[in-house]
Each structure stands twice: as C-alpha cells, then as structure tokens.
Amino acid sequence: MSFPAQRPRRLRRSELLRGLVRETRLSASGLIYPMFVCPGNRVRQGLPGVILFGLPESKDPRGASSVSAQGVVQRAIEAIRKANLKLLVITDVCLCEYTDHGHCGVIEHGEVANDATLTVLAEQALSHARAGADVVAPSDMMDGRVAAIREKLDEHKFENIAILSYAAKYCSGFYGPFREAAQSAPQFGDRRGYQMDPANAREALKEVALDLDEGADMVMIKPALPYLDIIRRVHEAFNVPVAAYNVSGEYAMIKAAVQKGWLDEQRVVLEVLTGIQRAGAGLTLTYHAKDVARWLKQC
Ligand code: PBG
C-alpha cells in the first residue's frame, strides 16, 4: 500500500478544485452596512441592507429626539423609501446616541433604570416602523425589551416588522471608534451593569433563549472576532438566523495595520469575514461591506 492513503493536498492543487470543495462562500448578499445618519446624508446602493444609527442634533437625559417622527433616523428612512431603493432598512434601537449622559437607558437614582427604559425603546421602535423600517434591532441590553417592542409593534399593526435582537452584546473595548463617531461614550460609570461580561458563554445562550421567547426573529452576537465560540454555540443550539456584528474597533484594527503597510487589506478582510461566517453567522454587519461587495464583483 502506498503511503499516505489520504493526501488532503490533492484537493488544494488548483483554484477549480479548491472552489469545488469550499465549505464557506462569502457573498455580498449576507452583508449589512452600518451607517451613521445625520441631516444631508445620501445613500447609495450595492448591498442588500443597511443598519441606521442616528447622530441627532441635540441630546437630553431621556433621549427624547429618538422617538420623534422628525428624528434623524426617521427622516433617513423616509428618504430611503422615497428614493425607492431596493434596500432592507434595519434600525438600531437604543438610547445612547440620544442621551446627554451617553447611557443606553434612562437614569433613575444614579442607575440605568430597566423598566422605565422599555417604554422609550418601544416608542422608538414604533416610530421607526411608522417611518418605514423593515427590521428593528434593539442594542440596549435591557431585560424584557424584545417583549416590550414586540407588544408595541403588534398593538399598532406592525406585526410584520421583524426584530433582530442584539441578544449577546458584550461589554467590549472594541466599541471605541463607534462611540467617538456617535459621541455616545458614557459620561459616568460604564456599561458593565447591562452589557455582558466577556468571560461568560453560557449566559449568552440564556440571553438568546430569553430573546427568542420574547419574540425575536433573529439574534445577534457582538462583537464578532473575540466571540466566535459564542457565534458557533448559538448557531448549534438554536434554529434561527444568527447575525454577527464586526464592530468599529475590529474594523479600525485592520485599517490601522493596512495604513502601516503591515497587512494586505483585501486578503485579511475576506479572511476575517469568512471566519465569522464559518463560525456560524448567516449575516454579518460590517463597515467593510461596501469594499467587500466591490471586490467580490470584480473577481
Ligand atoms: C448602541 C450601539 C453601540 C454599537 C452598536 N450599537 C455602542 C455601544 O454599545 O457602546 C457599537 C458598534 C460598533 O462599535 O461598531 N448601543
């Protein structure tokens, strides 16, 4: 018998062979582009969808502008609808971009008050639905927010608006560039009282189970790269679409290294997004989306 019988390299010898046996195929159809909207923004096409974050003109303790029909996100959705773009519009539902203290909820007795926040989140989701959003994505990590939003939407006949919940959102150092862009860094304390401890995996399964019980249609893990194990476990444990958010700090790391000439951008971005998909993410929110769509079209 010749040795070795198994030669894995046989199937790696040409691009045609590698393409034939490839397990994970990256496509722009699974990518969502995060956009920060402010008055005057223009949206161009090329991707299936966007997720919108608001940069409001003014902030206050309760994030009042987040529920206004005249709010930045609401106006952006309307503009997208008016332009008749074939584009899925997802909206981030949270208070931190709209509160002057930068926390994801309203403050009572020096703490982020869970139940008082639910009312505002549900109103915000409703106003996004009214403006024409397809999917709302609560990212605040309050307990019970998916149920509160689902109930509010159904009450107003928006039973077809889907909820993509940021089910396992970790208290991460990788949100830095986002917070700078949105000027949403907490002005006191931190988010450890509501976002998850990076050390916990089983708790993520619990969070996902709760959100699904409350009516979430899709669940998100965030950030992506330090939590690939969580993406995999959620993918195996639940039969729902799993999203991953390749966050601002993950994007910035690659951009900075590329600027220094240390990494080949296209190569590492495709590798990273393939890895996230291989871990079990069916859809990925990423700031690389526009570049990836262009690269995939070219080749
Ligand atoms: C809002 C929200 C944040 C991000 C998405 N939604 C910021 C945070 O939790 O501080 C971060 C996204 C990114 O870093 O790209 N709650």
Side-chain angles (χ1 to χ4, degrees):
M1 193 182 88
S2 66
F3 175 82
Q6 283 293 344
R7 289 179 184 270
R9 287 185 55 193
R10 278 187 199 120
L11 300 182
R12 294 180 200 142
R13 289 184 61 238
S14 75
E15 183 48 35
L16 287 177
L17 272 172
R18 290 190 294 270
L20 201 67
V21 300
R22 189 160 291 136
E23 297 174 37
T24 310
R25 295 170 207 270
L26 207 58
S27 140
S29 68
L31 302 179
I32 298 290
Y33 187 57
M35 289 189 77
F36 297 83
V37 295
C38 55
N41 250 189
R42 297 251 316 266
V43 177
R44 264 166 295 141
Q45 282 225 253
L47 288 161
V50 291
I51 178 161
L52 304 181
F53 296 91
L55 301 182
E57 276 150 55
S58 65
K59 307 195 186 210
D60 64 64
R62 296 186 60 86
S65 70
S66 75
V67 305
S68 157
Q70 299 308 312
V72 272
V73 167
Q74 290 83 350
R75 273 154 53 202
I77 304 168
E78 277 161 14
I80 292 171
R81 289 298 168 233
K82 224 175 257 160
N84 228 343
L85 303 176
K86 204 172 139 228
L87 194 67
L88 201 61
V89 178
I90 306 175
T91 58
D92 186 79
V93 173
C94 195
L95 293 195
C96 67
E97 300 125 72
Y98 307 93
T99 51
D100 50 12
H101 46 72
H103 276 290
C104 301
V106 299
I107 308 290
E108 283 174 4
H109 315 295
E111 245 194 90
V112 176
N114 195 87
D115 299 10
T117 301
L118 300 185
T119 321
V120 190
L121 293 169
E123 282 300 331
Q124 189 185 132
L126 176 62
S127 77
H128 292 170
R130 280 192 172 128
D134 300 296
V135 179
V136 292
S139 70
D140 52 282
M141 288 302 276
M142 297 302 119
D143 295 328
R145 91 274 205 207
V146 173
I149 290 171
R150 185 72 272 159
E151 198 177 320
K152 186 65 132 190
L153 291 176
D154 289 0
E155 201 180 292
H156 290 82
K157 301 269 181 285
F158 287 110
E159 65 276 350
N160 289 327
I161 302 299
I163 299 178
L164 163 60
S165 89
Y166 288 70
K169 178 174 180 178
Y170 285 90
C171 191
S172 167
F174 286 98
Y175 306 146
F178 174 99
R179 290 182 189 174
E180 200 170 305
Q183 294 183 340
S184 66
Q187 296 304 298
F188 64 90
D190 54 42
R191 302 211 206 286
R192 275 178 250 222
Y194 41 105
Q195 297 182 348
M196 282 183 58
D197 182 338
N200 294 355
R202 294 165 67 232
E203 190 188 352
L205 299 180
K206 176 181 173 177
E207 283 282 7
V208 168
L210 286 172
D211 284 6
L212 292 175
D213 274 351
E214 290 179 29
D217 301 282
M218 300 176 271
V219 292
M220 190 171 357
I221 314 302
K222 175 185 173 188
L225 292 182
Y227 302 95
L228 294 176
D229 58 323
I230 311 295
I231 296 173
R232 164 65 22 187
R233 287 174 72 164
V234 169
H235 173 82
E236 280 174 0
F238 301 94
N239 295 321
V240 292
V242 178
Y245 199 141
N246 177 222
V247 302
S248 60
E250 299 176 273
Y251 173 81
M253 275 196 305
I254 289 183
K255 281 290 181 187
V258 167
Q259 254 170 33
K260 290 206 174 264
W262 294 345
L263 293 175
D264 171 343
E265 182 171 18
Q266 181 165 340
R267 192 164 167 194
V268 296
V269 168
L270 294 177
E271 184 176 342
V272 159
L273 295 179
T274 300
I276 294 170
Q277 193 181 321
R278 195 188 60 239
L283 55 149
T284 304
L285 289 73
T286 177
Y287 303 94
H288 298 294
K290 278 205 319 206
D291 291 334
V292 173
R294 202 181 62 241
W295 297 334
L296 293 179
K297 213 157 127 193
Q298 278 163 5
C299 62

